[in-house]
């Protein structure tokens, strides 16, 4: 059993859940708020704007892809694959 691979998979699972919840919450509420690094300025994406749909799409697809990758890491770390 590779403990580093299992720890990496747990970390990526957390990131994947955050991405999925962020995309789903944005789709439900109709707004996604993102802050810029090192700046107090926030970007607001509202339903009906193409940026909103692009963000929701990439958050949900990226989160789903990350769940698959982290599952692969977990199975390899546990020695099943």
């Amino acid at each position: 059993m590779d403990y580093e691979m299992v720890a990496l998979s747990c970390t990526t699972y957390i990131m994947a859940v955050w991405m999925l919840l962020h995309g789903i919450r944005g789709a439900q509420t109709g707004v996604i708020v993102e802050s810029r690094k090192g700046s107090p300025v926030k970007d607001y994406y509202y339903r009906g704007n193409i940026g909103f749909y692009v963000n929701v799409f990439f958050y949900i697809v990226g989160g789903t892809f990350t769940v698959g990758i982290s599952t692969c890491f977990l199975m390899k770390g546990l020695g099943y694959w």
Side-chain angles (χ1 to χ4, degrees):
M1 185 156 96
D2 186 9
Y3 292 111
E4 290 179 8
M5 190 71 82
V6 172
L8 179 66
S9 71
C10 290
T11 305
T12 54
Y13 267 126
I14 292 169
M15 182 182 69
V17 167
W18 178 84
M19 289 177 69
L20 285 169
L21 289 177
H22 193 62
I24 292 168
R25 186 196 62 194
Q28 288 176 343
T29 61
V31 65
I32 291 181
V33 180
E34 292 185 350
S35 59
R36 299 181 188 178
K37 285 187 176 181
S39 175
V41 177
K42 294 186 184 242
D43 294 324
Y44 293 88
Y45 298 100
Y46 295 102
R47 182 175 286 138
N49 186 2
I50 189 67
F52 171 78
Y53 296 112
V54 169
N55 272 322
V56 167
F57 175 78
F58 280 116
Y59 274 121
I60 292 175
V61 169
T64 304
F65 177 75
T66 307
V67 166
I69 293 295
S70 57
T71 301
C72 179
F73 287 162
L74 181 65
M75 291 300 153
K76 285 187 179 190
L78 294 175
Y80 288 115
W81 290 352

